[in-house]
Amino acid sequence: MLPNALYTDLSGYYDLMCADINYQAQTNTVLRLAQALGNGGKTHLDLACGTAPHIYHFLKAGYQSIGLDINQPMLDIAQQRCPQAQFMLQNMCEFTLSTSVDLITCFLYSIHYSASIAQLQHCIRSVYHALTPGGVFCFNAVDKDKICNNSSVRHSTQHDGSQFVFESGWHYSGQGEQQALNLSISKTCTAQTQHWQDQHTMVAVSFTELEALLLPYFEVHILAHDYDKLTPWDTQSGNAIFACVKR
Ligand SMILES: C[S@@+](CC[C@H](N)C(=O)[O-])C[C@H]1O[C@@H](n2cnc3c(N)ncnc32)[C@H](O)[C@@H]1O
């Protein structure tokens, strides 16, 4: 299977895999952060937008949204879901916009798709240049030093007469600037099971390193990974929401 096949060959299964994610709650959290920290503008860019589950909610909240992704099959589904948004095929590590925006988001840990620290720096710099003065960059991330290699998230669902099981987990060797996201999908229909496995190479950073990369460009707020209430990160948890205001 090709690398990142989930987003190309299997893009039609992506929304099933994410069926238990509360995108409305994630969007509400970003809306509250943008209101508290941002410049009041309503233009928005979602990096690594996938099939546009966040954009769907931003549009409903009155934002004018653009989605950016590196996979055309994901963008094709996104365009169907949100015909009023604009979508662009670009690499988030070297993207440019013709007009800057007030809010940039990147969720489901997709910032880690910048596959090295150098690429992550390019991504952060591109975000900085694409934001209006006082604009906000909001994303979630995982701290490489807090990854538990034995833990994974699993869920199953029925669709079109088939039983699907999705599993995902991080793996970090403890050294270097890369971690893996391991994904597996199985589909069972009339006693026949198909399996797919993907391993995505992603950038590994500690939150201390990530904050240091952001600080030259942004005022950085690190919050608990909680989409029900806004509270500061407790410095122990391995997941967090970053809200960064353009300097
Ligand atoms: C886990 S999905 C997240 C999609 C969406 N943000 C969500 O929350 O459901 C990751 C997305 O990142 C995209 N992606 C991976 N590397 C990328 C890159 N370098 N630039 C832009 N998009 C990328 C993939 O194509 C995929 O659609």
Side-chain angles (χ1 to χ4, degrees), residues 4 6-7 14 17-18 21 23 26 46-54 68-71 74 90-93 106-110 113-114 181:
N4 290 5
L6 174 65
Y7 305 131
Y14 183 76
M17 186 178 90
C18 297
I21 296 177
Y23 286 105
Q26 294 190 358
D46 192 29
L47 293 180
C49 67
T51 60
H54 289 101
L68 179 155
D69 202 280
I70 206 166
N71 272 289
M74 297 293 271
Q90 285 203 65
N91 182 346
M92 66 180 172
C93 302
C106 188
F107 274 87
L108 210 52
Y109 304 99
S110 303
Y113 277 106
S114 311
L181 175 65

PDB file of all heavy atoms in Angstrom, residues 4 6-7 14 17-18 21 23 26 46-54 68-71 74 90-93 106-110 113-114 181, ligand 1:
ATOM      1  N   ASN A   4       0.370   6.905   3.191  1.00  0.00           N
ATOM      2  CA  ASN A   4      -0.820   7.761   3.331  1.00  0.00           C
ATOM      3  C   ASN A   4      -1.974   7.311   2.439  1.00  0.00           C
ATOM      4  O   ASN A   4      -2.784   8.117   1.996  1.00  0.00           O
ATOM      5  CB  ASN A   4      -0.490   9.232   3.061  1.00  0.00           C
ATOM      6  CG  ASN A   4       0.367   9.816   4.162  1.00  0.00           C
ATOM      7  OD1 ASN A   4       0.785   9.100   5.061  1.00  0.00           O
ATOM      8  ND2 ASN A   4       0.613  11.103   4.091  1.00  0.00           N
ATOM      9  N   LEU A   6      -4.540   5.955   3.279  1.00  0.00           N
ATOM     10  CA  LEU A   6      -5.824   6.275   3.901  1.00  0.00           C
ATOM     11  C   LEU A   6      -6.441   7.515   3.262  1.00  0.00           C
ATOM     12  O   LEU A   6      -7.651   7.602   3.103  1.00  0.00           O
ATOM     13  CB  LEU A   6      -5.627   6.518   5.397  1.00  0.00           C
ATOM     14  CG  LEU A   6      -6.878   7.009   6.128  1.00  0.00           C
ATOM     15  CD1 LEU A   6      -7.975   5.956   6.113  1.00  0.00           C
ATOM     16  CD2 LEU A   6      -6.560   7.410   7.542  1.00  0.00           C
ATOM     17  N   TYR A   7      -5.587   8.474   2.900  1.00  0.00           N
ATOM     18  CA  TYR A   7      -6.106   9.735   2.388  1.00  0.00           C
ATOM     19  C   TYR A   7      -6.261   9.732   0.866  1.00  0.00           C
ATOM     20  O   TYR A   7      -6.782  10.681   0.297  1.00  0.00           O
ATOM     21  CB  TYR A   7      -5.212  10.900   2.808  1.00  0.00           C
ATOM     22  CG  TYR A   7      -5.007  10.961   4.296  1.00  0.00           C
ATOM     23  CD1 TYR A   7      -3.742  11.092   4.832  1.00  0.00           C
ATOM     24  CD2 TYR A   7      -6.088  10.864   5.163  1.00  0.00           C
ATOM     25  CE1 TYR A   7      -3.548  11.132   6.200  1.00  0.00           C
ATOM     26  CE2 TYR A   7      -5.908  10.891   6.529  1.00  0.00           C
ATOM     27  CZ  TYR A   7      -4.641  11.032   7.038  1.00  0.00           C
ATOM     28  OH  TYR A   7      -4.452  11.061   8.387  1.00  0.00           O
ATOM     29  N   TYR A  14     -12.781   7.898   5.270  1.00  0.00           N
ATOM     30  CA  TYR A  14     -12.236   8.807   6.284  1.00  0.00           C
ATOM     31  C   TYR A  14     -13.306   9.279   7.282  1.00  0.00           C
ATOM     32  O   TYR A  14     -13.086   9.260   8.494  1.00  0.00           O
ATOM     33  CB  TYR A  14     -11.559  10.022   5.624  1.00  0.00           C
ATOM     34  CG  TYR A  14     -10.942  10.924   6.661  1.00  0.00           C
ATOM     35  CD1 TYR A  14      -9.750  10.579   7.285  1.00  0.00           C
ATOM     36  CD2 TYR A  14     -11.589  12.086   7.087  1.00  0.00           C
ATOM     37  CE1 TYR A  14      -9.212  11.362   8.285  1.00  0.00           C
ATOM     38  CE2 TYR A  14     -11.055  12.870   8.088  1.00  0.00           C
ATOM     39  CZ  TYR A  14      -9.871  12.513   8.666  1.00  0.00           C
ATOM     40  OH  TYR A  14      -9.339  13.286   9.670  1.00  0.00           O
ATOM     41  N   MET A  17     -14.155   6.762   9.805  1.00  0.00           N
ATOM     42  CA  MET A  17     -13.106   6.604  10.817  1.00  0.00           C
ATOM     43  C   MET A  17     -13.244   7.679  11.896  1.00  0.00           C
ATOM     44  O   MET A  17     -12.946   7.441  13.063  1.00  0.00           O
ATOM     45  CB  MET A  17     -11.735   6.697  10.160  1.00  0.00           C
ATOM     46  CG  MET A  17     -10.608   6.413  11.105  1.00  0.00           C
ATOM     47  SD  MET A  17      -9.030   6.475  10.290  1.00  0.00           S
ATOM     48  CE  MET A  17      -8.618   8.177  10.515  1.00  0.00           C
ATOM     49  N   CYS A  18     -13.711   8.859  11.489  1.00  0.00           N
ATOM     50  CA  CYS A  18     -13.783   9.997  12.415  1.00  0.00           C
ATOM     51  C   CYS A  18     -15.190  10.211  12.968  1.00  0.00           C
ATOM     52  O   CYS A  18     -15.474  11.270  13.525  1.00  0.00           O
ATOM     53  CB  CYS A  18     -13.313  11.262  11.699  1.00  0.00           C
ATOM     54  SG  CYS A  18     -11.591  11.146  11.206  1.00  0.00           S
ATOM     55  N   ILE A  21     -15.703  11.709  16.444  1.00  0.00           N
ATOM     56  CA  ILE A  21     -15.046  12.979  16.812  1.00  0.00           C
ATOM     57  C   ILE A  21     -16.094  14.086  16.842  1.00  0.00           C
ATOM     58  O   ILE A  21     -16.888  14.208  15.900  1.00  0.00           O
ATOM     59  CB  ILE A  21     -13.925  13.341  15.817  1.00  0.00           C
ATOM     60  CG1 ILE A  21     -12.820  12.284  15.874  1.00  0.00           C
ATOM     61  CG2 ILE A  21     -13.367  14.727  16.102  1.00  0.00           C
ATOM     62  CD1 ILE A  21     -11.708  12.508  14.873  1.00  0.00           C
ATOM     63  N   TYR A  23     -16.656  17.349  16.068  1.00  0.00           N
ATOM     64  CA  TYR A  23     -16.100  18.502  15.333  1.00  0.00           C
ATOM     65  C   TYR A  23     -16.792  19.807  15.723  1.00  0.00           C
ATOM     66  O   TYR A  23     -16.177  20.867  15.686  1.00  0.00           O
ATOM     67  CB  TYR A  23     -16.219  18.260  13.824  1.00  0.00           C
ATOM     68  CG  TYR A  23     -15.221  17.255  13.294  1.00  0.00           C
ATOM     69  CD1 TYR A  23     -15.599  15.973  12.943  1.00  0.00           C
ATOM     70  CD2 TYR A  23     -13.877  17.604  13.140  1.00  0.00           C
ATOM     71  CE1 TYR A  23     -14.679  15.048  12.463  1.00  0.00           C
ATOM     72  CE2 TYR A  23     -12.951  16.693  12.661  1.00  0.00           C
ATOM     73  CZ  TYR A  23     -13.363  15.415  12.321  1.00  0.00           C
ATOM     74  OH  TYR A  23     -12.432  14.516  11.843  1.00  0.00           O
ATOM     75  N   GLN A  26     -15.049  20.981  18.847  1.00  0.00           N
ATOM     76  CA  GLN A  26     -13.705  21.502  18.535  1.00  0.00           C
ATOM     77  C   GLN A  26     -13.816  22.892  17.921  1.00  0.00           C
ATOM     78  O   GLN A  26     -13.068  23.813  18.266  1.00  0.00           O
ATOM     79  CB  GLN A  26     -12.979  20.550  17.584  1.00  0.00           C
ATOM     80  CG  GLN A  26     -12.686  19.207  18.219  1.00  0.00           C
ATOM     81  CD  GLN A  26     -11.763  18.334  17.386  1.00  0.00           C
ATOM     82  OE1 GLN A  26     -11.347  18.705  16.291  1.00  0.00           O
ATOM     83  NE2 GLN A  26     -11.437  17.169  17.905  1.00  0.00           N
ATOM     84  N   ASP A  46      -8.221  26.414   6.947  1.00  0.00           N
ATOM     85  CA  ASP A  46      -7.998  25.166   7.681  1.00  0.00           C
ATOM     86  C   ASP A  46      -6.908  24.387   6.969  1.00  0.00           C
ATOM     87  O   ASP A  46      -7.075  23.971   5.815  1.00  0.00           O
ATOM     88  CB  ASP A  46      -9.300  24.353   7.755  1.00  0.00           C
ATOM     89  CG  ASP A  46      -9.201  23.194   8.740  1.00  0.00           C
ATOM     90  OD1 ASP A  46      -8.428  23.315   9.726  1.00  0.00           O
ATOM     91  OD2 ASP A  46      -9.872  22.176   8.537  1.00  0.00           O
ATOM     92  N   LEU A  47      -5.781  24.207   7.653  1.00  0.00           N
ATOM     93  CA  LEU A  47      -4.656  23.455   7.080  1.00  0.00           C
ATOM     94  C   LEU A  47      -4.894  21.967   7.253  1.00  0.00           C
ATOM     95  O   LEU A  47      -5.358  21.539   8.306  1.00  0.00           O
ATOM     96  CB  LEU A  47      -3.361  23.815   7.808  1.00  0.00           C
ATOM     97  CG  LEU A  47      -2.833  25.226   7.645  1.00  0.00           C
ATOM     98  CD1 LEU A  47      -1.537  25.393   8.450  1.00  0.00           C
ATOM     99  CD2 LEU A  47      -2.590  25.547   6.180  1.00  0.00           C
ATOM    100  N   ALA A  48      -4.526  21.175   6.255  1.00  0.00           N
ATOM    101  CA  ALA A  48      -4.755  19.726   6.285  1.00  0.00           C
ATOM    102  C   ALA A  48      -6.236  19.474   6.574  1.00  0.00           C
ATOM    103  O   ALA A  48      -6.599  18.720   7.468  1.00  0.00           O
ATOM    104  CB  ALA A  48      -3.856  19.054   7.314  1.00  0.00           C
ATOM    105  N   CYS A  49      -7.078  20.125   5.788  1.00  0.00           N
ATOM    106  CA  CYS A  49      -8.528  20.175   6.073  1.00  0.00           C
ATOM    107  C   CYS A  49      -9.219  18.839   5.893  1.00  0.00           C
ATOM    108  O   CYS A  49     -10.340  18.653   6.366  1.00  0.00           O
ATOM    109  CB  CYS A  49      -9.193  21.217   5.184  1.00  0.00           C
ATOM    110  SG  CYS A  49      -9.179  20.792   3.419  1.00  0.00           S
ATOM    111  N   GLY A  50      -8.568  17.880   5.176  1.00  0.00           N
ATOM    112  CA  GLY A  50      -9.225  16.593   4.945  1.00  0.00           C
ATOM    113  C   GLY A  50     -10.535  16.788   4.202  1.00  0.00           C
ATOM    114  O   GLY A  50     -10.619  17.536   3.220  1.00  0.00           O
ATOM    115  N   THR A  51     -11.582  16.144   4.700  1.00  0.00           N
ATOM    116  CA  THR A  51     -12.895  16.200   4.043  1.00  0.00           C
ATOM    117  C   THR A  51     -13.737  17.389   4.530  1.00  0.00           C
ATOM    118  O   THR A  51     -14.950  17.394   4.361  1.00  0.00           O
ATOM    119  CB  THR A  51     -13.655  14.882   4.275  1.00  0.00           C
ATOM    120  OG1 THR A  51     -13.805  14.721   5.697  1.00  0.00           O
ATOM    121  CG2 THR A  51     -12.905  13.686   3.709  1.00  0.00           C
ATOM    122  N   ALA A  52     -13.093  18.343   5.213  1.00  0.00           N
ATOM    123  CA  ALA A  52     -13.706  19.617   5.650  1.00  0.00           C
ATOM    124  C   ALA A  52     -14.721  19.504   6.796  1.00  0.00           C
ATOM    125  O   ALA A  52     -15.657  20.306   6.857  1.00  0.00           O
ATOM    126  CB  ALA A  52     -14.327  20.361   4.468  1.00  0.00           C
ATOM    127  N   PRO A  53     -14.528  18.596   7.751  1.00  0.00           N
ATOM    128  CA  PRO A  53     -15.497  18.534   8.851  1.00  0.00           C
ATOM    129  C   PRO A  53     -15.493  19.790   9.717  1.00  0.00           C
ATOM    130  O   PRO A  53     -16.538  20.179  10.238  1.00  0.00           O
ATOM    131  CB  PRO A  53     -15.056  17.301   9.655  1.00  0.00           C
ATOM    132  CG  PRO A  53     -13.617  17.103   9.300  1.00  0.00           C
ATOM    133  CD  PRO A  53     -13.469  17.564   7.892  1.00  0.00           C
ATOM    134  N   HIS A  54     -14.320  20.429   9.883  1.00  0.00           N
ATOM    135  CA  HIS A  54     -14.297  21.682  10.661  1.00  0.00           C
ATOM    136  C   HIS A  54     -14.873  22.834   9.838  1.00  0.00           C
ATOM    137  O   HIS A  54     -15.634  23.655  10.349  1.00  0.00           O
ATOM    138  CB  HIS A  54     -12.862  22.033  11.088  1.00  0.00           C
ATOM    139  CG  HIS A  54     -12.313  21.127  12.128  1.00  0.00           C
ATOM    140  ND1 HIS A  54     -11.434  20.112  11.829  1.00  0.00           N
ATOM    141  CD2 HIS A  54     -12.524  21.070  13.471  1.00  0.00           C
ATOM    142  CE1 HIS A  54     -11.132  19.469  12.944  1.00  0.00           C
ATOM    143  NE2 HIS A  54     -11.771  20.017  13.955  1.00  0.00           N
ATOM    144  N   LEU A  68      -7.137  23.724   2.846  1.00  0.00           N
ATOM    145  CA  LEU A  68      -5.889  23.379   2.147  1.00  0.00           C
ATOM    146  C   LEU A  68      -5.524  21.949   2.512  1.00  0.00           C
ATOM    147  O   LEU A  68      -5.559  21.584   3.691  1.00  0.00           O
ATOM    148  CB  LEU A  68      -4.797  24.358   2.582  1.00  0.00           C
ATOM    149  CG  LEU A  68      -3.386  24.205   2.018  1.00  0.00           C
ATOM    150  CD1 LEU A  68      -2.663  25.566   2.054  1.00  0.00           C
ATOM    151  CD2 LEU A  68      -2.555  23.161   2.740  1.00  0.00           C
ATOM    152  N   ASP A  69      -5.192  21.142   1.520  1.00  0.00           N
ATOM    153  CA  ASP A  69      -4.792  19.760   1.791  1.00  0.00           C
ATOM    154  C   ASP A  69      -3.879  19.298   0.660  1.00  0.00           C
ATOM    155  O   ASP A  69      -3.930  19.823  -0.459  1.00  0.00           O
ATOM    156  CB  ASP A  69      -6.015  18.847   1.902  1.00  0.00           C
ATOM    157  CG  ASP A  69      -5.724  17.571   2.679  1.00  0.00           C
ATOM    158  OD1 ASP A  69      -5.137  16.635   2.093  1.00  0.00           O
ATOM    159  OD2 ASP A  69      -6.066  17.506   3.879  1.00  0.00           O
ATOM    160  N   ILE A  70      -3.087  18.266   0.953  1.00  0.00           N
ATOM    161  CA  ILE A  70      -2.136  17.765  -0.040  1.00  0.00           C
ATOM    162  C   ILE A  70      -2.735  16.620  -0.863  1.00  0.00           C
ATOM    163  O   ILE A  70      -2.133  16.172  -1.828  1.00  0.00           O
ATOM    164  CB  ILE A  70      -0.825  17.341   0.665  1.00  0.00           C
ATOM    165  CG1 ILE A  70       0.365  17.411  -0.277  1.00  0.00           C
ATOM    166  CG2 ILE A  70      -0.961  15.980   1.320  1.00  0.00           C
ATOM    167  CD1 ILE A  70       1.710  17.345   0.425  1.00  0.00           C
ATOM    168  N   ASN A  71      -3.922  16.153  -0.471  1.00  0.00           N
ATOM    169  CA  ASN A  71      -4.546  15.014  -1.164  1.00  0.00           C
ATOM    170  C   ASN A  71      -5.818  15.422  -1.891  1.00  0.00           C
ATOM    171  O   ASN A  71      -6.824  15.773  -1.254  1.00  0.00           O
ATOM    172  CB  ASN A  71      -4.870  13.903  -0.161  1.00  0.00           C
ATOM    173  CG  ASN A  71      -3.703  12.964   0.017  1.00  0.00           C
ATOM    174  OD1 ASN A  71      -3.392  12.193  -0.874  1.00  0.00           O
ATOM    175  ND2 ASN A  71      -3.036  13.057   1.143  1.00  0.00           N
ATOM    176  N   MET A  74      -9.268  13.756  -0.893  1.00  0.00           N
ATOM    177  CA  MET A  74      -9.870  14.340   0.312  1.00  0.00           C
ATOM    178  C   MET A  74     -10.549  15.662  -0.047  1.00  0.00           C
ATOM    179  O   MET A  74     -11.666  15.959   0.400  1.00  0.00           O
ATOM    180  CB  MET A  74      -8.797  14.568   1.396  1.00  0.00           C
ATOM    181  CG  MET A  74      -8.131  13.305   1.894  1.00  0.00           C
ATOM    182  SD  MET A  74      -9.237  12.204   2.803  1.00  0.00           S
ATOM    183  CE  MET A  74      -9.044  12.813   4.466  1.00  0.00           C
ATOM    184  N   GLN A  90      -2.312  22.114  -1.742  1.00  0.00           N
ATOM    185  CA  GLN A  90      -0.982  22.644  -1.437  1.00  0.00           C
ATOM    186  C   GLN A  90      -0.394  21.860  -0.278  1.00  0.00           C
ATOM    187  O   GLN A  90      -1.111  21.205   0.479  1.00  0.00           O
ATOM    188  CB  GLN A  90      -1.054  24.125  -1.023  1.00  0.00           C
ATOM    189  CG  GLN A  90      -1.276  25.113  -2.137  1.00  0.00           C
ATOM    190  CD  GLN A  90      -0.791  26.513  -1.758  1.00  0.00           C
ATOM    191  OE1 GLN A  90       0.393  26.748  -1.549  1.00  0.00           O
ATOM    192  NE2 GLN A  90      -1.722  27.454  -1.678  1.00  0.00           N
ATOM    193  N   ASN A  91       0.927  21.988  -0.141  1.00  0.00           N
ATOM    194  CA  ASN A  91       1.632  21.421   0.999  1.00  0.00           C
ATOM    195  C   ASN A  91       1.651  22.483   2.100  1.00  0.00           C
ATOM    196  O   ASN A  91       2.102  23.607   1.864  1.00  0.00           O
ATOM    197  CB  ASN A  91       3.062  21.082   0.554  1.00  0.00           C
ATOM    198  CG  ASN A  91       3.874  20.438   1.655  1.00  0.00           C
ATOM    199  OD1 ASN A  91       3.499  20.453   2.825  1.00  0.00           O
ATOM    200  ND2 ASN A  91       5.007  19.891   1.266  1.00  0.00           N
ATOM    201  N   MET A  92       1.183  22.134   3.281  1.00  0.00           N
ATOM    202  CA  MET A  92       1.107  23.153   4.341  1.00  0.00           C
ATOM    203  C   MET A  92       2.494  23.620   4.800  1.00  0.00           C
ATOM    204  O   MET A  92       2.599  24.627   5.504  1.00  0.00           O
ATOM    205  CB  MET A  92       0.305  22.631   5.531  1.00  0.00           C
ATOM    206  CG  MET A  92       0.937  21.495   6.255  1.00  0.00           C
ATOM    207  SD  MET A  92      -0.114  20.971   7.620  1.00  0.00           S
ATOM    208  CE  MET A  92       0.768  19.508   8.114  1.00  0.00           C
ATOM    209  N   CYS A  93       3.539  22.923   4.396  1.00  0.00           N
ATOM    210  CA  CYS A  93       4.891  23.343   4.795  1.00  0.00           C
ATOM    211  C   CYS A  93       5.467  24.408   3.871  1.00  0.00           C
ATOM    212  O   CYS A  93       6.566  24.914   4.125  1.00  0.00           O
ATOM    213  CB  CYS A  93       5.829  22.139   4.848  1.00  0.00           C
ATOM    214  SG  CYS A  93       5.234  20.893   5.982  1.00  0.00           S
ATOM    215  N   CYS A 106      -5.565  23.927  12.423  1.00  0.00           N
ATOM    216  CA  CYS A 106      -4.958  22.674  11.947  1.00  0.00           C
ATOM    217  C   CYS A 106      -5.212  21.629  13.031  1.00  0.00           C
ATOM    218  O   CYS A 106      -4.501  21.608  14.047  1.00  0.00           O
ATOM    219  CB  CYS A 106      -3.464  22.882  11.700  1.00  0.00           C
ATOM    220  SG  CYS A 106      -2.685  21.462  10.910  1.00  0.00           S
ATOM    221  N   PHE A 107      -6.205  20.770  12.809  1.00  0.00           N
ATOM    222  CA  PHE A 107      -6.608  19.857  13.896  1.00  0.00           C
ATOM    223  C   PHE A 107      -6.402  18.386  13.553  1.00  0.00           C
ATOM    224  O   PHE A 107      -5.951  18.049  12.467  1.00  0.00           O
ATOM    225  CB  PHE A 107      -8.043  20.172  14.340  1.00  0.00           C
ATOM    226  CG  PHE A 107      -8.044  21.264  15.374  1.00  0.00           C
ATOM    227  CD1 PHE A 107      -8.064  22.598  14.995  1.00  0.00           C
ATOM    228  CD2 PHE A 107      -7.941  20.962  16.722  1.00  0.00           C
ATOM    229  CE1 PHE A 107      -8.005  23.604  15.954  1.00  0.00           C
ATOM    230  CE2 PHE A 107      -7.880  21.958  17.687  1.00  0.00           C
ATOM    231  CZ  PHE A 107      -7.919  23.280  17.291  1.00  0.00           C
ATOM    232  N   LEU A 108      -6.744  17.577  14.540  1.00  0.00           N
ATOM    233  CA  LEU A 108      -6.485  16.143  14.519  1.00  0.00           C
ATOM    234  C   LEU A 108      -4.974  15.882  14.358  1.00  0.00           C
ATOM    235  O   LEU A 108      -4.554  15.006  13.617  1.00  0.00           O
ATOM    236  CB  LEU A 108      -7.314  15.427  13.439  1.00  0.00           C
ATOM    237  CG  LEU A 108      -7.687  13.986  13.766  1.00  0.00           C
ATOM    238  CD1 LEU A 108      -8.343  13.858  15.142  1.00  0.00           C
ATOM    239  CD2 LEU A 108      -8.583  13.381  12.732  1.00  0.00           C
ATOM    240  N   TYR A 109      -4.182  16.695  15.050  1.00  0.00           N
ATOM    241  CA  TYR A 109      -2.727  16.524  15.141  1.00  0.00           C
ATOM    242  C   TYR A 109      -2.042  16.641  13.785  1.00  0.00           C
ATOM    243  O   TYR A 109      -0.920  16.185  13.609  1.00  0.00           O
ATOM    244  CB  TYR A 109      -2.379  15.174  15.804  1.00  0.00           C
ATOM    245  CG  TYR A 109      -3.002  15.027  17.163  1.00  0.00           C
ATOM    246  CD1 TYR A 109      -4.179  14.309  17.341  1.00  0.00           C
ATOM    247  CD2 TYR A 109      -2.438  15.652  18.269  1.00  0.00           C
ATOM    248  CE1 TYR A 109      -4.779  14.208  18.593  1.00  0.00           C
ATOM    249  CE2 TYR A 109      -3.022  15.549  19.520  1.00  0.00           C
ATOM    250  CZ  TYR A 109      -4.190  14.825  19.676  1.00  0.00           C
ATOM    251  OH  TYR A 109      -4.767  14.732  20.905  1.00  0.00           O
ATOM    252  N   SER A 110      -2.728  17.270  12.818  1.00  0.00           N
ATOM    253  CA  SER A 110      -2.197  17.282  11.453  1.00  0.00           C
ATOM    254  C   SER A 110      -0.951  18.138  11.308  1.00  0.00           C
ATOM    255  O   SER A 110      -0.203  17.963  10.348  1.00  0.00           O
ATOM    256  CB  SER A 110      -3.280  17.755  10.481  1.00  0.00           C
ATOM    257  OG  SER A 110      -4.404  16.929  10.600  1.00  0.00           O
ATOM    258  N   TYR A 113       2.150  16.398  10.438  1.00  0.00           N
ATOM    259  CA  TYR A 113       2.474  15.949   9.072  1.00  0.00           C
ATOM    260  C   TYR A 113       3.624  16.737   8.469  1.00  0.00           C
ATOM    261  O   TYR A 113       4.149  16.355   7.414  1.00  0.00           O
ATOM    262  CB  TYR A 113       1.248  15.995   8.158  1.00  0.00           C
ATOM    263  CG  TYR A 113       0.395  14.758   8.302  1.00  0.00           C
ATOM    264  CD1 TYR A 113      -0.803  14.792   8.969  1.00  0.00           C
ATOM    265  CD2 TYR A 113       0.820  13.536   7.783  1.00  0.00           C
ATOM    266  CE1 TYR A 113      -1.575  13.651   9.134  1.00  0.00           C
ATOM    267  CE2 TYR A 113       0.062  12.392   7.936  1.00  0.00           C
ATOM    268  CZ  TYR A 113      -1.131  12.455   8.611  1.00  0.00           C
ATOM    269  OH  TYR A 113      -1.876  11.318   8.768  1.00  0.00           O
ATOM    270  N   SER A 114       4.021  17.840   9.107  1.00  0.00           N
ATOM    271  CA  SER A 114       5.293  18.473   8.746  1.00  0.00           C
ATOM    272  C   SER A 114       6.336  17.445   9.212  1.00  0.00           C
ATOM    273  O   SER A 114       6.503  17.255  10.402  1.00  0.00           O
ATOM    274  CB  SER A 114       5.487  19.773   9.514  1.00  0.00           C
ATOM    275  OG  SER A 114       4.335  20.569   9.437  1.00  0.00           O
ATOM    276  N   LEU A 181       2.512   7.545  13.074  1.00  0.00           N
ATOM    277  CA  LEU A 181       1.091   7.332  13.365  1.00  0.00           C
ATOM    278  C   LEU A 181       0.720   6.032  12.656  1.00  0.00           C
ATOM    279  O   LEU A 181       0.809   5.942  11.431  1.00  0.00           O
ATOM    280  CB  LEU A 181       0.247   8.495  12.829  1.00  0.00           C
ATOM    281  CG  LEU A 181      -1.265   8.331  12.971  1.00  0.00           C
ATOM    282  CD1 LEU A 181      -1.677   8.312  14.447  1.00  0.00           C
ATOM    283  CD2 LEU A 181      -2.008   9.460  12.254  1.00  0.00           C
TER     284      LEU A 181
HETATM  285  C1  LIG B   1      -5.905  13.186  10.067  1.00  0.00           C
HETATM  286  S1  LIG B   1      -6.408  14.011   8.599  1.00  0.00           S
HETATM  287  C2  LIG B   1      -7.134  15.455   9.348  1.00  0.00           C
HETATM  288  C3  LIG B   1      -8.236  16.039   8.545  1.00  0.00           C
HETATM  289  C4  LIG B   1      -9.054  17.103   9.292  1.00  0.00           C
HETATM  290  N1  LIG B   1      -8.209  18.199   9.703  1.00  0.00           N
HETATM  291  C5  LIG B   1      -9.775  16.515  10.474  1.00  0.00           C
HETATM  292  O1  LIG B   1      -9.628  17.055  11.590  1.00  0.00           O
HETATM  293  O2  LIG B   1     -10.518  15.539  10.294  1.00  0.00           O
HETATM  294  C6  LIG B   1      -4.897  14.606   7.992  1.00  0.00           C
HETATM  295  C7  LIG B   1      -4.971  15.355   6.676  1.00  0.00           C
HETATM  296  O3  LIG B   1      -3.692  15.955   6.459  1.00  0.00           O
HETATM  297  C8  LIG B   1      -3.433  15.948   5.072  1.00  0.00           C
HETATM  298  N2  LIG B   1      -1.985  16.195   4.903  1.00  0.00           N
HETATM  299  C9  LIG B   1      -0.971  15.351   5.184  1.00  0.00           C
HETATM  300  N3  LIG B   1       0.211  15.951   4.930  1.00  0.00           N
HETATM  301  C10 LIG B   1      -0.075  17.212   4.483  1.00  0.00           C
HETATM  302  C11 LIG B   1       0.719  18.315   4.055  1.00  0.00           C
HETATM  303  N4  LIG B   1       2.055  18.249   4.046  1.00  0.00           N
HETATM  304  N5  LIG B   1       0.089  19.439   3.653  1.00  0.00           N
HETATM  305  C12 LIG B   1      -1.272  19.516   3.655  1.00  0.00           C
HETATM  306  N6  LIG B   1      -2.072  18.493   4.045  1.00  0.00           N
HETATM  307  C13 LIG B   1      -1.483  17.359   4.457  1.00  0.00           C
HETATM  308  C14 LIG B   1      -3.936  14.598   4.637  1.00  0.00           C
HETATM  309  O4  LIG B   1      -4.137  14.561   3.256  1.00  0.00           O
HETATM  310  C15 LIG B   1      -5.223  14.485   5.444  1.00  0.00           C
HETATM  311  O5  LIG B   1      -6.324  14.983   4.730  1.00  0.00           O
END
